[in-house]
Each structure stands twice: as structure tokens, then as C-alpha cells.
Amino acid sequence: MMNFKKISILFLILVVSIVSAQEFKLGKVSIAELQERHHPRDTTAAAAILFEKGVVDFEYSQSDGFKMVTEVTTRIKIYKKEGYDWATKAVGYYVGSSSKDILSFSDVVTYNLVDGKVEKIKLKSDGLFDEKVNKYWNQKKITLPNVKVGSIIEYKYTLRSFRLSELTEWSFQSSIPVNHSEFRTLIPEYFVYNPNLKGSMTPKITKENTSKSLSYSYRPTTEPRESSIVSTTQEKLDFIENSTTYLAVNLPAMKQEAYVNNISNYTTSVSHELSVVNFPNQPMKTLSTDWASVAKTIYDYDDFGLELNKTGYFEEDLKGILDGLATPEEKIEAIFSHVKKSVKWNGYYGYSCNDGVKKAYKDKTGNVAEINLMLIAMLRHTNLNANPVLVSTRSNGISFFPNRTAFNYVIAAVELADRVLLLDATESYSSPNVLPLRVLNWEGRLIRKDATSTAIDLMPKKSSIDAVNLKYTFTPDGTVTGKLSRKRTDYNAMIFRNNTETIKEDVYLEKYENDNKKIEVDDYERVIDKNLNEPVIENITFKGGNLSEVINGSIYINPMLFFSIEQNPFKQETRDYPVDYGYTTVDKYNVIIDIPEGYVVDTMPASIVLNMDDNLGQFKFLINKTENAVQLAITFQINAPIIGTDYYEALKSFYQRMIEKQNEKIVFKKA
């Protein structure tokens, strides 16, 4: 009988031995690496990270104290032209205060195989760019020279920073395969960081402690009065350096799939946030320990909690706005509309004010915090129970462990007797409980005036509707003529408003015609109410010569015309990430096909109802024939904004059956 325990131990020893034996040094590129034509474990890969190592260390100087030094070394293989993008690398660095980050690149080289020999091309000055991103951040970008299929590229960069609140988040996985990824932290005992690991793969972790020392000088307090010479004393301080190494090998590429929120939420990575600072002869300072303390810490910031108490700058304006309004709902709507019209978002995220709410109101522009904290202050001034909600946007990802940097956004919540309204005044077309899509990221943290907090669900409770009434007929040559009326509500309406806000009608209609089988729009009307709670309606008169087939005098028509889904968005056999729709939806199609004189129905699809398990989704296709018309009532609804991977196979099958039914044709023949 096989001894599986011994086999597992031998396999572990073999893996560790192989990893230990691989020593990667910049400049040591082999001919075999350059000759490799495709990745051994993923032949579709356009490129691969052969080796990447990050080291975070701390430097000390008596004038500046501790600073963090992050050094990253990378080697990448280019297999296909589609991998050329990997020859450009951009790294951001902070410039938003007097203590600016310092970033430098070095050892930037491209290797090619030329006539059987390794050719080495170094980066020249024209391949390095220093760019301003915004008032807080710059970035340095390199473009490696002479990159071609088969090239290997290498670079190293070093970032020095006084921002000690968190370490660089290290992603072991990428959109291309990763052969070797290593991250090492060397942290003095005075700092305690909480490591947060996420992703489906677990790196190998090793730890060790090393005795270190630092030198400093000081002036003795007992200097003789008569002495004209000021002397200093050199001292040495011993401390423990805590070293942790994270190692992962042979990581598959993270494949982008349909309906993924932020793929970095599922990428194997590690982040660290400062939790304790404990210097000698000083009181220990404890930072984030749980979500409640994180929320309280943020609330106590001067550029957060104190900004909520400022009211003088808007009080006179608010009197006129609220005059004659009685109900809480009326007051909320009026204040919400006033803030959206008065202060425009400058594009900056954050839960902390930059210039403050008063200046933002005066200048009519501000960041997320300034706009939404101002909104909360106005609502509170009206005796409404309004509070801030800390949020991590979809692009920022989801944090599964308490930390201050988990949040990068703040919205408003108003607690009424029977419900809670969520508001975000940075978005012109948002309405109560219809937040910008960037905010729909699981849960936020509501903080009340006493600094207590609670989790609050950000996901919409009401389904957004897309309802189409479609009525048409056809001629013997297959030309289809008809009218449609389309009504969008809630998120569908907000997205439509945003997408069409700056587009001229003729440009919109040209694209509409091209996207819908080259139809011709004869008449168009758009009904958009100023009240954002009302739906958006389009009325269209159209005709098209590509909406049917004529075969031996019979007319073949897909009854949904250009509204049917043609391809299944779920193509992978298996799926590693939840399906994230963002919000629940109901799509409705009421179709009437007037049968012209001289034609009858030959064949038509059968009615069907498809249901997903646990009421996650439903598709109804109901069809009925009368003497002069065919009528259809089609409904497709998704009842959960997020569907877990356990349901992926069923969801994929559900879509496939729905698509097949949507694309079945009605055949009309001559009577």
C-alpha cells in the first residue's frame, strides 16, 4: 500500500529544494530563456513574469526618523506581440505634502537573442518619463527599448517614503502567468503591521528575527557652564528586526470574465496596515483593531468629524430652499438637489476633506468628502438623522480585515422611521438609493454622532426595469417596419442619462442604427423628466431590411428583432469569481407582430419558463397566435446582484437555453 504521507513529504521537499535552488539575479539571462517560444503551462500567454521580488525595509536617520524603502525587481518574458504592453511600466509616487516620496528606476534592460548570442540593450534617458497624475500623485514611466517577440526585459525600482501607515500591497498573481513571486518585509520591532492575505492561493510564509542596532547622538544635559565647547554623545540602540518572506510559484494568469466587479478582489495578494507603534520610553499607540475602532478613528480626524459641525456657510441659503416644505422626503430631495447643483465633483476620492467644506461651497467644487459631508451637515441642520457611510469603491476592492485604508469614499445616509436612504451628491443623475455604480461594493460602515458604527448594505433592494413595447409588420421582400417604446428606471435610467448627456442626437441615432442591424430610424422622441425618480422613455419609428430572411417566399423573423442576446457571456468551463451584476434587473418585452394580408403562421417557437435554483433568475417566453397577429410576452430577470461560483454551471446553462429560445424564428408563409 502506498504511503501517501511519505509521498507528500517528498513532494514538499522537492518543491522547496527547487525554489531554494533558483537564484534570480538581474543580468543573468540564459540563451534557453530567450529561446523559449511559449509558456510551458499556458501556451496562450502573451507574456509571463519569470521572476518578481519585492523587499520592504526601514532606514533611520536622526533628522528624519524612520522611512520605508521598497525595492522591486522584475523579469518578464515576451511571447507574442500582444505582450508588448508589458514593456511599459508605470509606478506612482506621492507628492501631496512636504514629505514627498522619492522614486528611482535602475537596471532597466532588454535582452534579445541575435545570431545565437545574447544582446543587451540598456534604457536611455528618452525612455524614462516623469508625469503628473494629480495634485497628490506623480508617476514615473519606463518604456523598454527594442522589444520584440522572444525578448526578456528586466527592471528594478526603489521607492523611499515617509508614509508608514501601510506597506505596498503585493500581488502574487497577474493577468499573465507568474513563475516566481516573492515578497519580504524587514520591520523594526517598534512597528506592528497586520498582514491581510486574500485570493484562492496561499503563499509559503517563513519568519525570522534578527538583532539590529541604530546609532544616534545627543547632547548631555549636565554640560559644564564654563565650557564653550558643545559636545555630543554617540549611543547605540539595539532592537529586533522581524523578517517575513512570502513565496509563491507557478501562479496561473487571472483571466478577465464577464460580470466581474474588481478582479483584484480575487487576486492572491498580501497587504499590511500599521496597527501598533511602540517606541522606547513612549506610550504605546494602538491603531486599527476592529471595524468599530477604525470608524471612530476616522470620525475623530479634523478633516472628517469637525467638518460636519460647520454650518454657517450655508444656513441662509438653506432657509430659502426649505421654505414651504413639510415632509422629510421633500426636505431631503431639496437639499440633495441643491448640493448637486451647487458643488461639482473634482474627480478626487477620499473620506477626508482637502480644502474643507466651507471653501468647497464657496468655490463650487470639491472632492467626495467635501461634497457629501456638506450634504450630511445640511441634512442634520434640518433635524434629519443623517450620518456618513464609509465606503470602499469597486476599483478599490473589498477589505476583509479592519483597517483605515480599506475605505476611500464616503456617502450620506438618512435614517427615517421605516427605511434608510443612501445619497451621493457627486453624481448629477443619482437619486436616493440609486448610487453611482462605483459605490456598489458590498457593505459600507455607517458612523453616528456618538462615533458608534454599524455595517450597512450598499446593494440595491429594488430591481431596475428595462421595458420594451414593440409593434411591427413586414412586407413580401422582408422589410420590417414598426414602432417601439422603451422605458428605463432606476440604475438603467441613470446609466442612460450619463451615457447620452454629452452626445448629440444625430450622433446617438447613427450609432443606434449601426448597432441594431442597420435599421433606419424615421422618427425619434426622448422623454426625460427633470425628476430623477421618473423613468427615461424613448419612442422610435423604424424600418429595416436586415431583420428577416426570405426563403422560397416564406418570411423568417426573430420576434425580438435586435433585442435578443446572441452570445453567452459565460464562456469558461469553470469560474473562480462571483458573477457581479451590480444591481438586480427585470427586462420586459411585449411584442405584437401584425400579420399582413396573404400570410399565415407556418411555425413558431413554443412557450417556455426557465427558473434558476433559489429564485436567482427567471426567463419567461410566452407566445400566442391570433388570426391577424402574433403576441409575445418575454421577461428576463436577475434577482440577486451577486451570484456565487457554486451556481456558475447552472447560470451558464440558464443563459444558453434562454439565448437559444430568444433566437428561434417565426416562419410566415403565404396563405
Side-chain angles (χ1 to χ4, degrees):
M1 184 175 179
M2 297 178 69
N3 190 326
F4 289 101
K5 185 175 181 180
K6 286 184 178 180
I7 290 173
S8 299
I9 293 171
L10 286 171
F11 177 75
L12 179 61
I13 292 171
L14 177 62
V15 171
V16 172
S17 299
I18 291 171
V19 170
S20 302
Q22 289 180 319
E23 290 188 9
F24 293 87
K25 292 183 179 179
L26 290 178
K28 299 290 185 180
V29 174
S30 68
I31 290 177
E33 285 178 307
L34 288 165
Q35 288 176 330
E36 188 174 80
R37 300 184 65 181
H38 56 78
H39 193 269
R41 287 176 301 279
D42 184 354
T43 57
T44 66
I49 297 173
L50 304 183
F51 172 79
E52 189 162 41
K53 181 178 181 179
V55 179
V56 176
D57 202 351
F58 285 72
E59 290 180 351
Y60 177 82
S61 69
Q62 192 159 340
S63 58
D64 297 329
F66 283 101
K67 77 170 63 166
M68 188 187 303
V69 181
T70 303
E71 184 179 277
V72 176
T73 305
T74 306
R75 177 184 294 173
I76 298 173
K77 170 75 177 183
I78 308 296
Y79 294 110
K80 302 176 182 179
K81 289 181 179 179
E82 292 79 6
Y84 285 176
D85 287 346
W86 287 91
T88 297
K89 176 66 177 180
V91 180
Y93 63 100
Y94 185 72
V95 294
S97 69
S98 57
S99 300
K100 296 178 173 63
D101 291 351
I102 299 173
L103 174 68
S104 61
F105 277 91
S106 62
D107 301 306
V108 183
V109 179
T110 302
Y111 297 92
N112 289 314
L113 192 61
V114 180
D115 297 328
K117 295 181 180 180
V118 178
E119 179 186 68
K120 179 177 180 180
I121 308 103
K122 293 184 178 180
L123 179 74
K124 295 180 180 179
S125 58
D126 61 356
L128 175 63
F129 309 91
D130 198 345
E131 303 170 339
K132 180 181 177 65
V133 177
N134 55 45
K135 65 194 297 183
Y136 304 108
W137 292 89
N138 285 2
Q139 70 174 10
K140 286 189 177 180
K141 186 187 330 183
I142 56 169
T143 300
L144 283 97
N146 201 27
V147 172
K148 57 186 71 173
V149 172
S151 294
I152 288 177
I153 59 176
E154 291 184 338
Y155 56 81
K156 178 170 72 175
Y157 66 84
T158 304
L159 178 68
R160 286 177 163 80
S161 176
F162 291 99
R163 297 176 298 114
L164 307 184
S165 61
E166 58 179 332
L167 310 187
T168 297
E169 181 171 359
W170 186 261
S171 293
F172 297 93
Q173 286 181 282
S174 182
S175 59
I176 56 176
V178 179
N179 291 6
H180 182 110
S181 183
E182 183 178 337
F183 185 59
R184 190 180 185 201
T185 62
L186 303 164
I187 302 173
E189 63 177 288
Y190 313 124
F191 304 103
V192 178
Y193 288 85
N194 287 333
N196 300 320
L197 278 163
K198 64 181 179 182
S200 59
M201 308 182 75
T202 304
K204 180 178 181 288
I205 303 172
T206 56
K207 297 183 179 184
E208 60 178 334
N209 299 328
T210 307
S211 296
K212 295 280 186 176
S213 64
L214 58 86
S215 298
Y216 65 96
S217 61
Y218 71 98
R219 295 176 182 175
T221 57
T222 57
E223 192 72 37
R225 291 184 180 179
E226 64 273 14
S227 173
S228 60
I229 301 173
V230 178
S231 64
T232 60
T233 300
Q234 289 290 125
E235 289 287 342
K236 186 177 75 169
L237 180 64
D238 295 324
F239 66 93
I240 300 297
E241 181 182 76
N242 299 307
S243 170
T244 305
T245 301
Y246 303 84
L247 176 62
V249 296
N250 299 333
L251 297 132
M254 296 292 290
K255 303 288 187 181
Q256 188 66 46
E257 299 180 28
Y259 300 107
V260 175
N261 173 347
N262 179 357
I263 202 167
S264 66
N265 288 333
Y266 315 104
T267 300
T268 300
S269 63
V270 62
S271 60
H272 296 76
E273 190 191 37
L274 187 62
S275 63
V276 175
V277 178
N278 189 15
F279 287 120
N281 304 317
Q282 293 185 22
M284 183 173 70
K285 184 178 180 181
T286 303
L287 303 173
S288 306
T289 54
D290 54 45
W291 286 119
S293 63
V294 166
K296 187 178 186 308
T297 298
I298 293 172
Y299 196 90
D300 290 341
Y301 289 160
D302 290 347
D303 51 12
F304 189 91
L306 289 182
E307 295 292 322
L308 290 167
N309 298 327
K310 299 176 182 179
T311 61
Y313 63 95
F314 63 69
E315 288 180 5
E316 284 301 315
D317 291 342
L318 213 57
K319 289 179 183 177
I321 293 164
L322 298 175
D323 186 36
L325 302 182
T327 68
E329 289 81 3
E330 289 175 330
K331 294 176 182 179
I332 292 168
E333 191 64 49
I335 293 171
F336 188 36
S337 178
H338 172 67
V339 174
K340 287 194 292 182
K341 291 176 181 177
S342 301
V343 188
K344 299 303 179 184
W345 181 39
N346 61 18
Y348 291 122
Y349 287 14
Y351 54 69
S352 297
C353 294
N354 181 25
D355 298 318
V357 290
K358 184 176 180 180
K359 190 173 189 305
Y361 192 70
K362 178 183 177 183
D363 295 346
K364 300 186 181 300
T365 183
N367 69 4
V368 165
E370 287 157 347
I371 291 173
N372 284 328
L373 294 183
M374 177 192 307
L375 171 64
I376 295 163
M378 291 184 184
L379 294 166
R380 285 182 174 181
H381 190 71
T382 317
N383 296 319
L384 290 162
N385 185 13
N387 294 294
V389 177
L390 295 169
V391 172
S392 175
T393 60
R394 293 166 78 91
S395 63
N396 194 54
I398 299 168
S399 181
F400 301 99
F401 302 93
N403 64 92
R404 300 180 310 284
T405 55
F407 303 112
N408 68 328
Y409 205 94
V410 61
I411 61 173
V414 185
E415 296 178 82
L416 300 175
D418 57 343
R419 64 194 187 281
V420 176
L421 298 180
L422 300 178
L423 310 169
D424 184 350
T426 66
E427 181 71 62
S428 299
Y429 295 123
S430 70
S431 55
N433 285 340
V434 180
L435 300 168
L437 290 176
R438 58 181 172 268
V439 178
L440 302 185
N441 200 27
W442 297 72
E443 289 186 343
R445 194 84 193 173
L446 185 149
I447 318 176
R448 297 188 175 88
K449 290 182 181 180
D450 60 2
T452 60
S453 66
T454 186
I456 187 164
D457 189 359
L458 299 172
M459 306 310 286
K461 308 298 183 294
K462 180 182 175 185
S463 292
S464 295
I465 294 173
D466 190 349
V468 176
N469 290 316
L470 181 60
K471 190 174 190 295
Y472 62 89
T473 189
F474 57 88
T475 61
D477 67 355
T479 300
V480 172
T481 59
K483 294 183 178 181
L484 70 88
S485 180
R486 185 172 189 176
K487 180 176 73 174
R488 298 174 174 91
T489 71
D490 298 308
Y491 277 94
N492 290 333
M494 182 181 72
I495 292 169
F496 181 84
R497 286 184 169 103
N498 281 326
N499 289 344
T500 59
E501 180 180 23
T502 60
I503 300 176
K504 293 182 179 180
E505 186 174 292
D506 58 340
V507 176
Y508 171 79
L509 289 177
E510 182 180 0
K511 186 176 188 304
Y512 188 93
E513 290 175 335
N514 290 331
D515 290 347
N516 292 290
K517 299 187 177 181
K518 306 292 184 179
I519 64 169
E520 295 179 27
V521 174
D522 296 325
D523 189 42
Y524 179 79
E525 179 190 26
R526 185 183 298 171
V527 182
I528 300 183
D529 199 290
K530 290 183 179 180
N531 183 351
L532 298 178
N533 296 314
E534 293 298 316
V536 172
I537 298 173
E538 288 183 290
N539 296 314
I540 300 174
T541 301
F542 67 93
K543 65 180 177 182
N546 300 315
L547 301 176
S548 68
E549 291 181 279
V550 182
I551 302 176
N552 296 326
S554 294
I555 309 294
Y556 292 70
I557 293 180
N558 177 339
M560 295 184 69
L561 298 181
F562 39 81
F563 287 105
S564 59
I565 302 172
E566 295 183 350
Q567 290 189 357
N568 194 332
F570 305 110
K571 304 182 187 303
Q572 304 291 335
E573 289 300 317
T574 59
R575 185 175 172 114
D576 296 324
Y577 339 116
V579 175
D580 190 333
Y581 292 99
Y583 53 94
T584 58
T585 58
V586 178
D587 296 346
K588 298 179 179 179
Y589 303 91
N590 292 314
V591 182
I592 298 175
I593 307 172
D594 288 329
I595 304 173
E597 187 176 347
Y599 283 88
V600 295
V601 173
D602 185 11
T603 61
M604 67 181 192
S607 295
I608 191 174
V609 177
L610 304 175
N611 290 297
M612 279 195 66
D613 291 344
D614 298 329
N615 194 34
L616 292 176
Q618 185 183 67
F619 174 68
K620 286 184 179 180
F621 185 98
L622 306 178
I623 188 167
N624 180 53
K625 179 182 68 173
T626 65
E627 183 178 351
N628 299 316
V630 176
Q631 297 176 334
L632 299 97
I634 303 166
T635 305
F636 167 46
Q637 62 189 72
I638 294 295
N639 299 325
I642 299 171
I643 296 178
T645 55
D646 291 348
Y647 293 96
Y648 176 68
E649 187 176 344
L651 181 65
K652 181 180 177 181
S653 175
F654 171 82
Y655 263 79
Q656 191 58 42
R657 293 181 66 191
M658 176 182 69
I659 291 167
E660 289 169 359
K661 178 57 66 173
Q662 283 189 359
N663 288 280
E664 288 183 12
K665 295 183 177 182
I666 302 175
V667 180
F668 298 92
K669 67 179 181 180
K670 291 182 178 179

